[in-house]
Amino acid sequence: MKISNEIVEKHGLKIDEYENIKKLLNRQPNLLELGIFSAMWNEHCSYKSSRIHLKKLPSKGKQVIQGPGENAGVIDIGDNDAIVFKIESHNHPSYIEPYQGAATGVGGILRDVFTMGARPIALLNSIHFGSPDHPKTKSLLNGVVSGIGGYGNCIGIPTVAGETKFNETYNENILVNAMAVGHANKDKIFYSKAKGLNKSVVYVGSKTGRDGIHGASMASAEFDENSEEKKPTVQVGDPFTEKLLMEACLELMKDNSIISIQDMGAAGLTSSSVEMASKGGLGIELELDKVPCREENMTPYEMMLSESQERMLIILEDGKEHNAKKIFDKWDLDFVVIGKTTNTNNLTLKFKNKIEGVIPIEALASKAPIYDRKWIKKKPQKKEINLKDLKKIKIEDALIKILSSPNHSNKSWITNQYDQSVMCDTALKSGSDAAIIRIHNKDKAIAVSVDSSANYCKSHPLTGGKQIVCENWRNLVAVGAKPLAITNCLNFGNPENKEIMGEFAECLIGIKEACEFLNYPVVSGNVSFYNGTNKKSIYPTPVIGGVGLIKKLVSPLSHNFKKTKSKLILIGKTFGHLGRSCYLKENYSIDEGMPPEVNLLNEKNNGECLLKLIDDNLILSSHDVSNGGLITSISEMSLGSHIGAKILKPKKLTNSIEYFFGEDQARYIVEIDAENVSKVEKILKIHNIYFENIGHTQNEYLEIDNELKINIKDLFKINNEWYNNY
């Protein structure tokens, strides 16, 4: 079959890339080989537009066992315990087919974790939808939430934290980012690097179907008006089979049978075999007529590009096949030796005793294109908002507007669809700054959180990149956890656009600076480009998933007020920054100005001092101050506890709106027993931490002297109204 330019472009390849393929092969590829190049050279698999930037991120530290480059990152939490975690996107599939797109996103990220030898202990998500008024939003929201809950609940892994946001920028391209966290013995981590010659290459799990073909390529292209036609490229998930696969793999991992193991995720059998071979410097030969298929007359092309779910590729030690098969037979899963490792450094594909394709492994992996795309630096938005130019609004009315908005309303309608307690180790559920998961049968725990900051990143990507790392850091600190490492999911538009590539490059500079300063390395992640429809891109949306350690968990520290008559202290200085704030967005529909400045030294010092206060048992509750400012954060502490607060008017900052709604960074609100105030103040002064005594807790009312007085019951009703009526 002659390969035309039209066929090349349908495979998501540029004509110059095709010419490069012909040079690497020294011939024209056949259709099967072209499909394999298409799968391995797309953005989703090759990171061809992002790799040079990703390499600059800090990924090492004394706590890091495995950084980027494997199925998931691994960190050491002491006592021979390791935490394995990663976040990935499933954006395009979830827009086309919300339930299955979201469900298979969860399934895929779980496989990345248990492939490393870890038992998954928690799921998180970051989901972004268009305007609530958009005709598709409600059905997309319902489908995605049902898919996340359906898969996680069925497989029996708690979904413990996440975020749900709305913005018109996602009207035609929603974001569904799924994160999984697992616990493993640090001496029993499994990797994907192939070793040894003539070793059995084994296919395990579900049978292969025609679902998901070209899924990775579809995820590496913008949508257009025909996006609905791409439903056949969306995978179909089966959580019950995944549960069986997980248990079978974990059982096999107890002995010394496995040389390497790889999830069949994006690009399926193609990517799993190529990645294993490339890391090991070996070749792999596959006999495709041995691949278990659930549909008749499947071709080698379809088998290699299928993204059917719940499948793994394993390379076994000699003589271990029989015992391994017994395990998979017990769990009623396919176990078939479909190939072997070779010294050819080629991917060799046979079908019915005929060679259908031969491709050098390095041509698919190390020689995949790497682009240093041109980018333009974002010009700062110098225009500042003058409150005097805006219609005056009362603090109470402004607060009600924020708390009743879709982005700040109570989201229990969503979280109640997720089983958060299965496995019985969830110590603190969603709703606080971070969730807390006990390490089973031990005193210690981990804290986990996911966060994004598209609005700040759109205005000034470098500052936005720094800010979102710091917010994630604060969320872990606020529950008493020492932040250890992050995973990131970088959602952007078309990298071929200089402005969008500039947003990406500058965001990564900001992430790099913050991670380096805070000793908060990036150990895994994912890049999702081409998020847009008809040349209209989403806001730049980097999502950060963080993991922290609580060495000894006595009682989980939440953001909810604990009692009345306790004292409230604000850690960190307030300048009253309102640029890109929720106050302006929700009350005036203004999205302008620069994001708040990020002072990394203050972030580090304030966070570390708060951790000391928590370790000394001096803090009753704690909450970071972020979107919506001081009064919004205090309201959240009241809403979770039904305990009110009386807040003092500021002495120095004369404008109450700026003080109570400004989104200055590096700040925490802490609740303290009255008898411990002097101890807390002394420690804060010793560490040169700026703080203010801002009031105390009380019954019934949230109150600011002469500015605000609202019953907590009324506030609760306001906060629940939007979702109840949507």
Side-chain angles (χ1 to χ4, degrees):
M1 177 182 181
K2 183 173 173 58
I3 305 295
S4 65
N5 287 352
E6 183 182 5
I7 292 172
V8 170
E9 289 170 354
K10 280 185 176 180
H11 280 76
L13 292 164
K14 309 289 186 187
I15 299 304
D16 62 333
E17 290 176 336
Y18 178 63
E19 292 302 318
N20 191 24
I21 290 169
K22 289 196 292 185
K23 287 179 182 176
L24 288 169
L25 294 177
N26 200 29
R27 58 178 172 83
Q28 178 182 286
N30 60 35
L31 188 63
L32 169 62
E33 293 168 332
L34 182 71
I36 288 168
F37 272 104
S38 166
M40 294 304 299
W41 281 22
N42 62 55
E43 283 288 354
H44 196 76
C45 293
S46 74
Y47 294 88
K48 58 189 177 186
S49 297
S50 59
R51 211 182 310 175
I52 62 169
H53 298 278
L54 295 173
K55 286 181 177 180
K56 299 173 185 176
L57 294 175
S59 59
K60 296 181 179 178
K62 64 179 182 180
Q63 70 273 39
V64 177
I65 296 173
Q66 175 63 52
E70 269 293 342
N71 287 291
V74 187
I75 56 174
D76 188 347
I77 61 167
D79 309 312
N80 208 37
D81 292 312
I83 295 297
V84 180
F85 64 106
K86 188 182 182 183
I87 189 170
E88 277 204 343
S89 63
H90 230 221
N91 303 334
H92 284 32
S94 299
Y95 182 79
I96 296 168
E97 181 54 61
Y99 184 96
Q100 289 296 348
T104 51
V106 173
I109 200 65
L110 282 171
R111 289 195 301 279
D112 283 340
V113 166
F114 71 75
T115 299
M116 301 290 294
R119 179 170 290 280
I121 58 174
L123 288 163
L124 301 88
N125 57 76
S126 174
I127 51 180
H128 295 246
F129 299 92
S131 167
D133 299 327
H134 191 273
K136 285 189 176 181
T137 296
K138 186 179 283 189
S139 64
L140 289 168
L141 175 66
N142 285 329
V144 167
V145 170
S146 296
I148 291 170
Y151 206 100
N153 295 351
C154 287
I155 199 171
I157 311 296
T159 302
V160 298
E163 58 174 7
T164 303
K165 294 185 177 182
F166 299 88
N167 189 295
E168 57 271 15
T169 187
Y170 309 107
N171 278 349
E172 306 297 333
N173 196 125
I174 65 174
L175 302 183
V176 177
N177 294 180
M179 176 176 169
V181 183
H183 173 229
N185 183 317
K186 83 171 189 179
D187 296 328
K188 292 286 284 184
I189 304 297
F190 290 81
Y191 301 95
S192 58
K193 181 179 178 180
K195 297 177 184 177
L197 296 179
N198 295 312
K199 303 295 184 183
S200 295
V201 177
V202 185
Y203 174 118
V204 300
S206 287
K207 288 179 168 57
T208 296
R210 291 186 171 94
D211 53 317
I213 294 173
H214 291 303
S217 299
M218 179 266 292
S220 304
E222 286 186 308
F223 280 154
D224 56 28
E225 62 276 359
N226 300 314
S227 59
E228 293 289 330
E229 297 175 4
K230 296 178 180 179
K231 281 190 177 182
T233 62
V234 178
Q235 310 93 328
V236 178
D238 180 355
F240 299 104
T241 300
E242 177 118 334
K243 171 68 173 174
L244 301 177
L245 180 62
M246 179 177 71
E247 297 299 341
C249 288
L250 292 175
E251 183 175 342
L252 182 61
M253 288 168 174
K254 290 178 181 178
D255 64 22
N256 296 314
S257 298
I258 297 174
I259 296 174
S260 64
I261 181 169
Q262 176 71 39
D263 163 42
M264 289 194 217
L269 190 53
T270 289
S271 63
S272 56
S273 56
V274 171
E275 287 171 13
M276 294 169 92
S278 66
K279 289 173 183 176
L282 296 171
I284 279 187
E285 181 180 291
L286 300 178
E287 297 181 56
L288 297 179
D289 44 310
K290 293 183 179 179
V291 172
C293 295
R294 67 168 183 263
E295 298 184 50
E296 293 182 358
N297 301 318
M298 287 191 68
T299 65
Y301 182 96
E302 293 170 326
M303 292 179 206
M304 290 301 295
L305 297 183
S306 168
E307 294 185 8
S308 294
Q309 298 291 284
E310 295 86 38
R311 301 179 301 158
M312 294 281 192
L313 205 62
I314 302 175
I315 297 175
L316 289 176
E317 293 283 6
D318 294 337
K320 299 290 186 177
E321 295 87 353
H322 179 71
N323 184 58
K325 188 175 186 307
K326 282 173 61 178
I327 292 172
F328 282 86
D329 286 347
K330 182 182 78 173
W331 292 101
D332 197 25
L333 295 165
D334 279 303
F335 178 101
V336 184
V337 178
I338 64 167
K340 63 182 180 181
T341 58
T342 70
N343 62 358
T344 64
N345 296 110
N346 291 330
L347 175 66
T348 304
L349 304 174
K350 294 182 176 180
F351 186 65
K352 296 182 178 178
N353 296 317
K354 181 184 175 184
I355 294 178
E356 296 286 344
V358 180
I359 308 174
I361 293 291
E362 63 178 8
L364 296 168
S366 62
K367 292 190 177 180
I370 298 177
Y371 296 130
D372 187 3
R373 297 195 184 276
K374 293 181 179 179
W375 58 276
I376 299 173
K377 191 173 181 179
K378 188 89 171 184
K379 292 182 180 178
Q381 295 187 16
K382 295 182 179 179
K383 183 181 178 182
E384 293 296 331
I385 307 300
N386 191 338
L387 289 177
K388 294 179 181 178
D389 297 335
L390 302 174
K391 182 181 178 182
K392 194 172 180 180
I393 186 170
K394 294 179 179 177
I395 287 178
E396 181 173 327
D397 293 337
L399 178 62
I400 288 172
K401 196 81 170 178
I402 290 172
L403 292 178
S404 62
S405 69
N407 282 319
H408 286 84
S409 291
N410 187 336
K411 296 181 176 62
S412 58
W413 173 85
I414 292 174
T415 56
N416 286 345
Q417 295 187 53
Y418 307 148
D419 190 334
Q420 300 184 62
S421 300
V422 65
M423 300 179 75
C424 301
D425 284 321
T426 307
L428 186 62
K429 301 177 184 178
S430 62
S432 282
D433 295 87
I436 298 175
I437 311 297
R438 296 182 190 88
I439 302 302
H440 196 65
N441 289 330
K442 296 189 179 183
D443 292 336
K444 62 186 175 186
I446 58 166
V448 290
S449 180
V450 290
D451 303 279
S452 63
S453 184
N455 195 34
Y456 290 168
C457 288
K458 183 64 180 175
S459 171
H460 195 251
L462 193 151
T463 302
K466 285 196 285 188
Q467 186 275 335
I468 198 56
V469 172
C470 292
E471 184 175 343
N472 184 264
W473 160 277
R474 291 197 302 273
N475 282 334
L476 299 181
V477 168
V479 299
K482 177 178 173 55
L484 294 180
I486 69 167
T487 181
N488 57 35
C489 196
L490 307 171
N491 306 276
F492 289 79
N494 189 333
E496 298 166 54
N497 179 301
K498 294 178 184 178
E499 286 80 10
I500 290 170
M501 197 64 212
E503 292 173 345
F504 179 81
E506 287 200 89
C507 262
L508 259 70
I509 293 170
I511 291 171
K512 173 182 180 291
E513 288 181 10
C515 287
E516 285 179 340
F517 197 92
L518 298 172
N519 187 25
Y520 204 27
V522 182
V523 298
S524 61
N526 170 238
V527 177
S528 177
F529 278 135
Y530 297 98
N531 289 290
T533 300
N534 293 326
K535 309 301 180 183
K536 187 177 180 181
S537 293
I538 64 164
Y539 277 7
T541 312
V543 176
I544 302 295
V547 176
L549 176 64
I550 302 171
K551 286 186 177 180
K552 188 169 183 176
L553 182 65
V554 179
S555 179
L557 181 67
S558 74
H559 76 294
N560 298 334
F561 288 140
K562 299 302 181 291
K563 62 181 187 178
T564 59
K565 299 181 180 180
S566 50
K567 299 296 182 181
L568 301 176
I569 288 179
L570 173 63
I571 295 173
K573 196 164 187 176
T574 299
F575 299 94
H577 186 95
L578 288 176
R580 309 298 291 198
S581 66
C582 292
Y583 173 80
L584 293 177
K585 172 71 174 175
E586 302 300 344
N587 289 283
Y588 301 98
S589 299
I590 293 175
D591 257 340
E592 293 179 10
M594 288 285 286
E597 180 185 346
V598 176
N599 186 312
L600 293 173
L601 181 62
N602 287 346
E603 290 284 2
K604 191 171 191 293
N605 290 345
N606 293 358
E608 289 180 346
C609 189
L610 177 54
L611 283 177
K612 177 173 172 53
L613 293 171
I614 294 169
D615 288 343
D616 291 345
N617 295 315
L618 294 172
I619 305 297
L620 295 173
S621 67
S622 168
H623 193 21
D624 90 303
V625 182
S626 55
N627 292 343
L630 177 61
I631 193 62
T632 303
S633 296
I634 292 171
S635 299
E636 291 166 351
M637 298 174 86
S638 286
L639 288 166
S641 61
H642 294 278
I643 295 172
K646 184 165 184 174
I647 308 302
L648 306 171
K649 288 184 71 174
K651 294 178 181 179
K652 295 182 180 179
L653 197 65
T654 55
N655 189 296
S656 293
I657 292 294
E658 290 177 345
Y659 182 80
F660 286 111
F661 293 100
E663 295 183 4
D664 307 289
Q665 302 292 289
R667 295 185 297 162
Y668 304 85
I669 303 159
V670 294
E671 178 191 7
I672 303 162
D673 263 322
E675 64 189 34
N676 289 328
V677 170
S678 60
K679 292 180 184 176
V680 170
E681 289 181 347
K682 184 179 179 180
I683 292 171
L684 290 168
K685 288 175 181 176
I686 289 172
H687 289 84
N688 294 314
I689 304 298
Y690 182 91
F691 68 93
E692 297 174 33
N693 290 287
I694 60 171
H696 61 83
T697 57
Q698 63 179 20
N699 285 317
E700 293 189 61
Y701 291 94
L702 177 62
E703 187 176 357
I704 302 172
D705 287 341
N706 303 319
E707 295 271 8
L708 167 71
K709 189 173 183 180
I710 186 167
N711 192 289
I712 301 301
K713 289 181 180 177
D714 294 334
L715 202 65
F716 185 84
K717 185 179 178 182
I718 289 163
N719 191 233
N720 282 270
E721 205 165 38
W722 185 84
Y723 270 98
N724 290 339
N725 296 331
Y726 188 55

